[in-house]
Amino acid sequence: MEKTIVVALGGNAILEKDPTYEAQKAAVERTAKLLVRLVEKGYKVIITHGNGPQVGNLLLQQIAGDSDKTPALPLDSLGAMTQGSIGYWLSNSLAKYLHRAGIHKDVVPVVTQTVVDRNDRAFSRPTKPIGPFYTEEEVDILNLQNPMFVYREDSGRGWRRVVPSPRPVRILEIEGIKSLIDAGQIVIAAGGGGVPVVEQDDELVGVEAVIDKDFTAAKLAEQVHADEFLILTSVGNVYLDFGKPTQREITHIDANALNKLIAKKQFAEGSMLPKVTAAKEFVENVPDGKAIITYLDGLEDFIEHGAGTVITRWPESVPAK
């Protein structure tokens, strides 16, 4: 039986240093060529991705062009726009390499809405920085223009707007995604964590928020009951004592042991912590599934040799090195 895998792409899969269209497209081409290997191995593939730099650039363009005639669009719309553009880049590149490999499958990008709880505490405690840096004087003016926006000082570098980062509750289009996978298609979904929406009366309303892409990827993997949840990041393994002389890689770990390491603050916030937390939550909710954290360039090693850090619900026989 074919295994279903959800692949969560890190930012380096789409953007490295050069923010130009040509450079981003080249990064996507390289990523697509590697992802086709999963299809060749018989996986049913669902791809999700980040959009932080892209939505940040789009936000800057919106701010620069804001006027009565061309008012800036809200953040949820910008998220949907970047889902569309990145989905187009990925599907275009994947189609090329699938054709070269003699594989006849469609690649279907789905602009995805992620339902969040309107009572999530994140809405009263915005933490996710977006957009440009401002001086304190500029913030005083901005507060008069948009009193609902929140700005915070960022590590001595200036002030930035911060928005809520609520937890995902469910993927709205999940049944359509399942149908596409069952039909043998490759799906791109929930980019950038999905467009955040809340249930209000009998409708869904977009909100000014950014959902952590790793948590949404885990929710997506849970809702399709994936066999494997693969997080591709910038390092080959999760490490204990990262950056210290005692640093050592973890090859296999179970959810309970990982919980203990999280409690000891072994993983950096905004870096590895959301990834290991998302992986842990996936295996807790899908006990027969497994999560893997590795790097994009190690995808072939993962396919052929199972490289990377494997997270399971229950202990396995291979300990940390």
Side-chain angles (χ1 to χ4, degrees):
M1 179 183 291
E2 290 180 311
K3 289 183 178 180
T4 298
I5 188 169
V6 170
V7 184
L9 299 176
N12 63 327
I14 303 167
L15 175 66
E16 293 183 355
K17 294 180 180 179
D18 186 346
T20 62
Y21 166 77
E22 291 78 12
Q24 291 184 77
K25 191 66 168 64
V28 168
E29 287 267 317
R30 171 173 159 271
T31 298
K33 189 174 183 179
L34 291 169
L35 290 176
V36 166
R37 290 285 294 116
L38 289 170
V39 184
E40 289 179 315
K41 281 292 182 179
Y43 280 100
K44 295 179 178 180
V45 179
I46 304 171
I47 301 163
T48 187
H49 58 81
N51 69 344
Q54 291 79 17
V55 82
N57 289 343
L58 188 53
L59 180 63
L60 289 174
Q61 293 168 21
Q62 292 285 312
I63 292 170
D66 188 28
S67 70
D68 290 338
K69 290 186 176 181
T70 57
L73 295 173
L75 191 57
D76 57 319
S77 293
L78 303 188
M81 292 165 72
T82 54
Q83 276 194 50
S85 60
I86 296 170
Y88 156 61
W89 296 343
L90 278 168
S91 61
N92 183 274
S93 296
L94 282 165
K96 177 171 71 176
Y97 290 110
L98 288 167
H99 176 74
R100 291 182 182 179
I103 299 171
H104 304 289
K105 288 178 179 283
D106 288 335
V107 184
V108 185
V110 179
V111 175
T112 312
Q113 300 172 85
T114 303
V115 178
V116 298
D117 185 350
R118 62 185 304 174
N119 296 315
D120 192 307
R121 288 189 299 173
F123 286 110
S124 61
R125 301 175 184 175
T127 58
K128 180 68 175 178
I130 62 168
F133 289 93
Y134 298 104
T135 65
E136 192 168 359
E137 293 75 18
E138 288 173 325
V139 168
D140 290 338
I141 297 170
L142 290 168
N143 279 327
L144 294 174
Q145 296 172 344
N146 294 289
M148 299 298 291
F149 289 0
V150 179
Y151 297 87
R152 288 185 183 161
E153 200 278 329
D154 188 345
S155 306
R157 297 179 295 174
W159 292 70
R160 295 181 78 187
R161 182 184 167 197
V162 290
V163 298
S165 185
R167 281 296 195 107
V169 174
R170 60 186 174 90
I171 308 296
L172 188 64
E173 294 81 6
I174 197 67
E175 293 305 321
I177 292 167
K178 288 179 181 177
S179 295
L180 288 165
I181 285 295
D182 289 343
Q185 313 307 330
I186 298 163
V187 181
I188 302 166
V195 179
V197 295
V198 296
E199 295 174 310
Q200 184 171 302
D201 299 324
D202 61 347
E203 63 179 327
L204 292 164
V205 180
V207 291
E208 292 275 299
V210 174
I211 308 170
D212 187 286
K213 64 180 176 59
D214 294 311
F215 293 143
T216 299
K219 182 62 66 176
L220 175 63
E222 173 195 334
Q223 287 195 259
V224 300
H225 204 95
D227 298 285
E228 296 179 7
F229 172 36
L230 175 62
I231 301 175
L232 295 176
T233 184
S234 57
V235 293
N237 285 79
V238 179
Y239 291 87
L240 293 174
D241 298 338
F242 183 73
K244 299 178 181 179
T246 53
Q247 172 180 305
R248 58 202 186 277
E249 69 181 32
I250 300 171
T251 54
H252 286 71
I253 192 166
D254 64 89
N256 186 52
L258 192 54
N259 257 328
K260 293 177 181 178
L261 294 179
I262 291 171
K264 292 179 180 179
K265 301 187 183 300
Q266 269 282 345
F267 310 111
E269 291 187 22
S271 178
M272 189 55 74
L273 180 59
K275 293 173 176 55
V276 297
T277 303
K280 177 188 71 70
E281 291 181 357
F282 166 69
V283 299
E284 287 174 337
N285 291 316
V286 184
D288 56 341
K290 69 176 179 180
I292 307 96
I293 299 175
T294 190
Y295 65 128
L296 183 63
D297 287 338
L299 187 57
E300 185 68 28
D301 282 341
F302 158 72
I303 294 169
E304 296 297 336
H305 309 294
T309 296
V310 177
I311 299 100
T312 54
R313 177 68 183 90
W314 312 111
E316 291 197 2
S317 59
V318 184
K321 285 185 178 180

